[in-house]
mmCIF file of all heavy atoms in Angstrom:
data_model
loop_
_atom_site.group_PDB
_atom_site.id
_atom_site.type_symbol
_atom_site.label_atom_id
_atom_site.label_comp_id
_atom_site.label_asym_id
_atom_site.label_seq_id
_atom_site.Cartn_x
_atom_site.Cartn_y
_atom_site.Cartn_z
ATOM 1 N N GLU A 42 40.037 -109.777 -168.948
ATOM 2 C CA GLU A 42 40.831 -110.962 -168.995
ATOM 3 C C GLU A 42 41.344 -111.370 -170.439
ATOM 4 O O GLU A 42 42.407 -111.801 -170.714
ATOM 5 C CB GLU A 42 39.996 -112.246 -168.381
ATOM 6 C CG GLU A 42 40.733 -113.522 -168.339
ATOM 7 C CD GLU A 42 39.955 -114.724 -167.898
ATOM 8 O OE1 GLU A 42 38.916 -114.419 -167.308
ATOM 9 O OE2 GLU A 42 40.357 -115.967 -168.093
ATOM 10 N N LEU A 43 40.322 -111.152 -171.313
ATOM 11 C CA LEU A 43 40.630 -111.387 -172.782
ATOM 12 C C LEU A 43 41.804 -110.388 -173.204
ATOM 13 O O LEU A 43 42.631 -110.771 -174.057
ATOM 14 C CB LEU A 43 39.395 -111.193 -173.623
ATOM 15 C CG LEU A 43 38.269 -112.018 -173.311
ATOM 16 C CD1 LEU A 43 37.059 -111.847 -174.260
ATOM 17 C CD2 LEU A 43 38.554 -113.621 -173.085
ATOM 18 N N ALA A 44 41.734 -109.152 -172.954
ATOM 19 C CA ALA A 44 42.652 -108.158 -173.183
ATOM 20 C C ALA A 44 44.001 -108.471 -172.597
ATOM 21 O O ALA A 44 44.970 -108.394 -173.441
ATOM 22 C CB ALA A 44 42.158 -106.710 -172.871
ATOM 23 N N ASP A 45 43.985 -108.984 -171.396
ATOM 24 C CA ASP A 45 45.311 -109.254 -170.755
ATOM 25 C C ASP A 45 45.926 -110.499 -171.564
ATOM 26 O O ASP A 45 47.186 -110.477 -171.736
ATOM 27 C CB ASP A 45 45.041 -109.674 -169.243
ATOM 28 C CG ASP A 45 44.694 -108.403 -168.526
ATOM 29 O OD1 ASP A 45 44.853 -107.331 -168.962
ATOM 30 O OD2 ASP A 45 44.165 -108.644 -167.424
ATOM 31 N N GLU A 46 45.078 -111.416 -172.079
ATOM 32 C CA GLU A 46 45.557 -112.534 -172.802
ATOM 33 C C GLU A 46 46.321 -112.306 -174.105
ATOM 34 O O GLU A 46 47.168 -112.982 -174.463
ATOM 35 C CB GLU A 46 44.377 -113.583 -173.019
ATOM 36 C CG GLU A 46 44.863 -114.967 -173.418
ATOM 37 C CD GLU A 46 43.765 -115.951 -173.323
ATOM 38 O OE1 GLU A 46 42.822 -115.820 -172.453
ATOM 39 O OE2 GLU A 46 43.776 -116.974 -174.299
ATOM 40 N N ILE A 47 45.853 -111.118 -174.717
ATOM 41 C CA ILE A 47 46.353 -110.848 -175.972
ATOM 42 C C ILE A 47 47.382 -109.552 -175.827
ATOM 43 O O ILE A 47 47.651 -108.825 -176.829
ATOM 44 C CB ILE A 47 45.322 -110.564 -177.081
ATOM 45 C CG1 ILE A 47 44.334 -109.437 -176.686
ATOM 46 C CG2 ILE A 47 44.615 -111.925 -177.425
ATOM 47 C CD1 ILE A 47 43.402 -109.092 -177.870
ATOM 48 N N ASN A 48 47.689 -109.220 -174.534
ATOM 49 C CA ASN A 48 48.757 -108.149 -174.206
ATOM 50 C C ASN A 48 48.066 -106.858 -174.691
ATOM 51 O O ASN A 48 48.919 -105.950 -175.246
ATOM 52 C CB ASN A 48 49.954 -108.492 -174.793
ATOM 53 C CG ASN A 48 50.505 -109.710 -174.335
ATOM 54 O OD1 ASN A 48 50.664 -109.955 -172.945
ATOM 55 N ND2 ASN A 48 51.158 -110.617 -175.068
ATOM 56 N N LEU A 49 46.805 -106.516 -174.480
ATOM 57 C CA LEU A 49 46.237 -105.230 -174.748
ATOM 58 C C LEU A 49 45.836 -104.624 -173.378
ATOM 59 O O LEU A 49 45.496 -105.365 -172.397
ATOM 60 C CB LEU A 49 45.106 -105.270 -175.648
ATOM 61 C CG LEU A 49 45.505 -105.506 -177.184
ATOM 62 C CD1 LEU A 49 44.269 -105.553 -177.996
ATOM 63 C CD2 LEU A 49 46.519 -104.522 -177.677
ATOM 64 N N ASP A 50 46.011 -103.375 -173.164
ATOM 65 C CA ASP A 50 45.526 -102.599 -172.055
ATOM 66 C C ASP A 50 44.070 -102.135 -172.256
ATOM 67 O O ASP A 50 43.820 -101.273 -173.035
ATOM 68 C CB ASP A 50 46.438 -101.311 -171.860
ATOM 69 C CG ASP A 50 46.229 -100.516 -170.603
ATOM 70 O OD1 ASP A 50 45.125 -100.866 -170.031
ATOM 71 O OD2 ASP A 50 47.056 -99.741 -170.194
ATOM 72 N N ILE A 51 43.383 -102.792 -171.410
ATOM 73 C CA ILE A 51 41.876 -102.580 -171.472
ATOM 74 C C ILE A 51 41.525 -101.036 -171.214
ATOM 75 O O ILE A 51 40.521 -100.554 -171.837
ATOM 76 C CB ILE A 51 41.025 -103.432 -170.399
ATOM 77 C CG1 ILE A 51 39.552 -103.391 -170.798
ATOM 78 C CG2 ILE A 51 41.326 -102.844 -168.969
ATOM 79 C CD1 ILE A 51 39.085 -104.170 -171.863
ATOM 80 N N ASP A 52 42.310 -100.362 -170.431
ATOM 81 C CA ASP A 52 42.042 -98.918 -170.243
ATOM 82 C C ASP A 52 42.244 -98.122 -171.474
ATOM 83 O O ASP A 52 41.571 -97.177 -171.710
ATOM 84 C CB ASP A 52 42.966 -98.431 -169.072
ATOM 85 C CG ASP A 52 42.470 -98.949 -167.726
ATOM 86 O OD1 ASP A 52 41.269 -99.062 -167.484
ATOM 87 O OD2 ASP A 52 43.319 -99.293 -166.959
ATOM 88 N N LYS A 53 43.223 -98.431 -172.370
ATOM 89 C CA LYS A 53 43.544 -97.753 -173.680
ATOM 90 C C LYS A 53 42.505 -98.185 -174.603
ATOM 91 O O LYS A 53 42.285 -97.313 -175.637
ATOM 92 C CB LYS A 53 44.898 -98.059 -174.027
ATOM 93 C CG LYS A 53 46.030 -97.537 -173.087
ATOM 94 C CD LYS A 53 47.344 -97.733 -173.567
ATOM 95 C CE LYS A 53 48.471 -97.149 -172.653
ATOM 96 N NZ LYS A 53 49.873 -97.454 -173.157
#
Side-chain angles (χ1 to χ4, degrees):
E42 182 181 346
L43 306 183
D45 291 343
E46 193 171 327
I47 58 174
N48 297 316
L49 288 179
D50 186 340
I51 193 72
D52 292 321
K53 293 181 180 179

